[in-house]
């Protein structure tokens, strides 16, 4: 019986290890995963998948791991990451994903908080990180490395290669062939299986406790809202510690038997996408924005004739899109070739999540024929629980709730805007060692999301911003920073934006240029520069960004127009605490770190002197001494209206 005929309900297959066993037994030779290495795609069948999980599980038990231990997963998206997660669940342990670019103090915090006894690390870089921590992570007894390159020089007794682990597991399996199946059968739906970190927009991330059986049910409900078929291709791009990537690359892939493809490097993403021609993709807003910027940059480089054809086809497509149709001429002239170039020719569905995507960017992809949908959810509720219907996409909304979820809006104002509350079948059962935070967030079974939103008459849920981020000017004008920031980022010249103006007479912006695009533009214009900081100070760049802001201002009410802006001397960075690992702005950090710059804008200064030191990811430091110009777009008196 196919999964479709029973509507993705898994019945007794209520944990990931049980579903994997079922798939390996019934479709052992079907492809489950591909990984690209040195330019070659390596395939793994469902039997390969199960064997790796089985050997790893048996060896971990042999090393002294006991049920209830936490197993850390540190590295980029690779099959071993997924195998490690399922293995943890098979021996009734907790899987803990750690972002591969996490700094030392973040790794220490998460490993100690979870009391992890084992870490499965991708490569030498991640092992270096762990070994440098020394006694700070004394609970970690075993470090399993997946890539042996560069590892011969180490003598730490905790280190063991994953190939040696597999050999141990094979030997145990040969001696006790029924042992692994007994372990899998003993897994229980009600057990906590996943330790998942929250985004941590205001402080250190909390660790949400998610049940294995409820995770399966939640993934099944998602599949009913956005169905998959066996053999559909998915490309795993977003970090696996993020809840939504686990939903897609682990949960949905197991239930619907999708093929999960792991790209070689982030830099080869677009080329690898084109090779695979995926059926489904899940990309973060910053990736969609980057793809759009790349398209716009290529048009900057093209001939006048190609630019005219592009603009003509886009106008045809936009007009047809507004009427709910496709323009065959626009598709023939541009869209089919463009989608092929991007690797999107075979997409059945595409999604964006993790942060809000600007409606202009959303509309662009819909216009070129990418079936993009917006997701909304929280880690605590097992990720997304709303999505657009395929035939009912609203650029401003996040769609409708899944059949396993309930959503309501409370404490509404006269326009119907209030706080969004939700509960799902996949809802978490608590935060690790933080009952107080759980009691604050969950009341009467409902998760208080902290987001402001409302329902349209159509039933679509609209999310405006975080309630704590909604602000008012000194004149009492309320505005949503996120809404305006997303409009700004539709410009290919603007990589990041932070809107300022709380308790101030008018709105201003702190802008980070998109270096790759602005550098290309500057080279075409013949402007000389040496680096990001130097480029961002050029008067011509200020003028260009000013023109881009003016375009956005035309779409905003007078009281919400941007009056002034500065171009920051560096990009905002998660390593500096300015962004979360899912690229959400940490506004309290920005307000504190750049408080003198912000104050200078509102003190009506023309320039801000900067003398600071920045630290790079490799630990090296660089002193930056420059001046930031405060550029006026609109006279302040206009901003007070």
């Amino acid at each position: 019986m196919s999964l479709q005929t029973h509507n993705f309900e898994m019945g007794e297959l209520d944990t990931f290890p049980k579903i994997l066993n079922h798939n390996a037994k019934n479709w052992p030779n079907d492809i489950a995963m591909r990984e690209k290495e040195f330019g070659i795609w390596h395939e793994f069948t469902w039997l390969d998948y199960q064997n790796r999980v089985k050997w790893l599980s048996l060896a971990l038990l042999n090393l002294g791991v006991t049920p209830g231990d936490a197993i850390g997963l540190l590295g980029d998206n690779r099959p071993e990451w997924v195998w490690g997660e399922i293995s943890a669940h098979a021996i009734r342990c907790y899987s803990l994903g750690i972002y591969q670019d996490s700094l030392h103090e973040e790794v220490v915090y998460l490993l100690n908080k979870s009391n992890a006894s084992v870490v499965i690390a991708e490569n030498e870089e991640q092992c270096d990180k762990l070994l440098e921590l020394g006694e700070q992570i004394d609970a970690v007894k075993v470090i399993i490395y997946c890539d042996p390159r560069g590892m011969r020089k180490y003598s730490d007794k905790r280190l063991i290669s994953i190939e040696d682990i597999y050999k141990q597991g094979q030997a145990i399996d040969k001696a006790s062939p029924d042992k692994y199946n007994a372990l899998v059968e003993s897994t229980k739906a009600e057990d906590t299986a996943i330790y998942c970190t929250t985004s941590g927009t205001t402080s250190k991330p909390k660790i949400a406790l998610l049940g294995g059986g409820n995770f399966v049910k939640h993934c099944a409900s998602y599949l009913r809202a956005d169905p998959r078929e066996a053999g559909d291709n998915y490309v795993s791009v977003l970090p696996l510690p993020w809840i939504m990537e686990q939903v897609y690359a682990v949960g949905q892939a197991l239930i619907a038997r999708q093929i999960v493809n792991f790209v070689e490097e982030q830099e080869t993403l677009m080329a690898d996408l084109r090779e695979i021609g995926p059926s489904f993709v899940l990309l973060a807003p910053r990736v969609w924005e980057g793809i759009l910027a790349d398209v716009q940059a290529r048009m900057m480089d093209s001939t006048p004739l190609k630019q005219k054809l592009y603009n003509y086809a886009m106008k045809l497509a936009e007009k047809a899109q507004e009427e709910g149709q496709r323009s065959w001429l626009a598709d023939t002239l541009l869209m089919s070739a463009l989608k092929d170039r991007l690797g999107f020719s075979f997409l059945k569905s595409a999604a964006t999540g993790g942060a809000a995507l600007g409606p202009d960017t959303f509309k662009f992809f819909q216009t070129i024929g990418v079936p993009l949908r917006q997701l909304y959810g929280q880690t605590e509720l097992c990720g997304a629980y709303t999505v657009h219907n395929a035939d009912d996409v609203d650029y401003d909304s996040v769609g409708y709730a899944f059949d396993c979820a309930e959503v309501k809006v409370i404490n509404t104002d006269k326009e119907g805007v209030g706080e969004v509350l939700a509960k799902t079948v996949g809802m978490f059962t608590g935060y690790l060692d933080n009952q107080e935070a759980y009691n604050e967030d969950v009341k009467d079974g409902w998760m208080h999301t902290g987001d402001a939103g409302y329902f349209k008459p159509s039933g679509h849920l609209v999310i405006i911003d975080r309630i704590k981020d909604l602000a008012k000017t000194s004149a009492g004008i309320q505005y949503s920073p996120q809404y305006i920031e997303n409009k700004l980022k539709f410009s290919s010249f603007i990589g990041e934006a932070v809107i300022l103006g709380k308790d101030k007479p008018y709105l201003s912006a702190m802008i980070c240029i998109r270096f790759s695009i602005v550098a290309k533009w500057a080279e075409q214009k013949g402007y000389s520069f040496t680096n990001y900081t130097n480029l961002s100070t050029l008067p011509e760049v200020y003028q260009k960004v000013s023109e881009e802001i003016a375009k956005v201002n035309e779409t905003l009410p007078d009281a919400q127009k941007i009056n002034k802006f500065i171009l920051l001397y560096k990009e905002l960075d998660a390593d500096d605490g300015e962004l979360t690992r899912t690229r959400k702005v940490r506004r309290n950090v920005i307000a504190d770190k750049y408080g003198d710059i912000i104050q200078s804008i509102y003190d009506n200064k023309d320039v801000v002197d900067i003398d600071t030191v920045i630290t790079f990811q490799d630990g090296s430091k660089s002193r930056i001494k420059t001046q930031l110009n405060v550029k006026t777009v609109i006279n302040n008196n206009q901003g007070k209206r």
Side-chain angles (χ1 to χ4, degrees), residues 89 159 169 221 230 240 254 295 304 341 461 501 554 565-566 585 622:
H89 301 173
L159 289 169
S221 71
L240 272 162
L254 282 166
V295 170
R341 178 84 184 186
L461 176 65
E554 290 176 5
F565 73 93
I566 58 104
V585 172
S622 176

Side-chain angles (χ1 to χ4, degrees), residues 452-467:
Y454 66 93
F455 287 105
K456 286 189 169 185
S458 61
H460 280 265
L461 176 65
V462 177
I463 302 298
I464 298 174
D465 209 331
R466 297 289 293 167
I467 291 174

Side-chain angles (χ1 to χ4, degrees), residues 106 186 189 200 212 214 245 260 388 454 475 569 572 582 624 633:
E106 295 173 296
S186 71
N214 286 341
E245 193 62 24
V260 180
H388 290 118
Y454 66 93
Y569 54 85
L572 297 183
T582 53
I624 292 181
V633 185

Side-chain angles (χ1 to χ4, degrees), residues 11 41 55 139 161 169 208 216 226 283 293 297 300 315 319 335 362 399 405-406 430 462 485 528 540 561 614 616:
W41 288 100
W55 300 333
S161 77
V216 170
D226 190 10
L283 303 176
M300 288 167 56
K315 286 179 181 177
K319 184 179 179 182
M335 306 311 172
F362 199 133
E406 295 179 61
V462 177
E485 289 159 3
S528 59
E540 295 86 357
K561 293 184 189 298
I614 61 172
F616 297 102

Side-chain angles (χ1 to χ4, degrees), residues 181-196:
N181 284 337
L183 288 171
V184 171
E185 288 306 310
S186 71
T187 59
K188 297 180 180 178
E190 60 268 25
D191 285 351
T192 295
I194 299 170
Y195 282 175
C196 195

Side-chain angles (χ1 to χ4, degrees), residues 168-186:
Q168 287 186 28
Q170 285 174 288
I172 297 166
D173 184 43
K174 188 174 182 179
S176 306
D178 297 325
K179 186 172 183 178
Y180 176 72
N181 284 337
L183 288 171
V184 171
E185 288 306 310
S186 71

